[in-house]
Amino acid sequence: MKRIQRIIFTAGYFLLLLFLVLLNPLRIREIIPLKDRLRIHPFTDSLNDLTHLHGSHWPVHAFYFLTNLFVNIILFIPFSFIAIIMFRMHRFVSVVLLACLLSVMIEVIQYCTGLGVADAYEVILNTAGAAIGFYLCKRYLNRQ
């Protein structure tokens, strides 16, 4: 029974990830122009979004900045649990590197399809989320 629950959790996580980063109706509705699809200056681009208002008030920009920050970290925490519990990956470097590669793949797909912006900052945040998830999972497993 536990194995089936784990498989359902794993499939659900990857389907949710796919939906959020590619199939989200907000992304499908509007294809991003090629010139706006790439952001390679991790912290500068995000801080510029926060300081240079584009038709809205600063609190709105701050909300989007913080949402982007925390969602990208939280989104990859379960990845580490799946890697450790389902795939028996117990090396920190392996789990974090795999998460980083998955994040890069997502960003490349977003760039190629125009269904998002390929952002180096998001790769860093996703990888940080996997690192946090690794330590949380190890701590959880050590308590059992």
Side-chain angles (χ1 to χ4, degrees), residues 5-45:
Q5 289 173 334
R6 289 177 180 173
I7 291 170
I8 290 170
F9 176 77
T10 301
Y13 170 74
F14 284 108
L15 287 173
L16 177 66
L17 188 65
L18 178 68
F19 173 77
L20 289 175
V21 299
L22 294 175
L23 302 176
N24 186 329
L26 296 174
R27 292 183 189 273
I28 293 173
R29 181 175 38 172
E30 182 179 319
I31 302 296
I32 297 171
L34 188 61
K35 67 179 179 62
D36 297 328
R37 290 185 196 172
L38 184 63
R39 296 168 54 139
I40 57 173
H41 303 100
F43 300 100
T44 309
D45 289 337

Side-chain angles (χ1 to χ4, degrees), residues 20-82:
L20 289 175
V21 299
L22 294 175
L23 302 176
N24 186 329
L26 296 174
R27 292 183 189 273
I28 293 173
R29 181 175 38 172
E30 182 179 319
I31 302 296
I32 297 171
L34 188 61
K35 67 179 179 62
D36 297 328
R37 290 185 196 172
L38 184 63
R39 296 168 54 139
I40 57 173
H41 303 100
F43 300 100
T44 309
D45 289 337
S46 293
L47 289 175
N48 279 342
D49 283 348
L50 188 59
T51 58
H52 296 90
L53 305 180
H54 301 288
S56 194
H57 299 292
W58 186 85
V60 173
H61 285 275
F63 172 77
Y64 285 123
F65 175 80
L66 292 173
T67 301
N68 186 42
L69 175 79
F70 290 114
V71 166
N72 278 293
I73 291 172
I74 292 168
L75 195 60
F76 268 71
I77 289 174
F79 178 86
S80 296
F81 280 79
I82 291 168

Side-chain angles (χ1 to χ4, degrees), residues 36-40 107-108 110-111 116-120 122:
D36 297 328
R37 290 185 196 172
L38 184 63
R39 296 168 54 139
I40 57 173
E107 299 303 321
V108 168
Q110 286 180 334
Y111 176 79
V117 175
D119 195 340
E122 290 182 0

Side-chain angles (χ1 to χ4, degrees), residues 94-121:
S94 300
V95 172
V96 171
L97 183 60
L98 189 60
C100 183
L101 290 173
L102 176 61
S103 182
V104 168
M105 275 184 13
I106 289 168
E107 299 303 321
V108 168
I109 291 169
Q110 286 180 334
Y111 176 79
C112 292
T113 61
L115 296 176
V117 175
D119 195 340
Y121 187 59

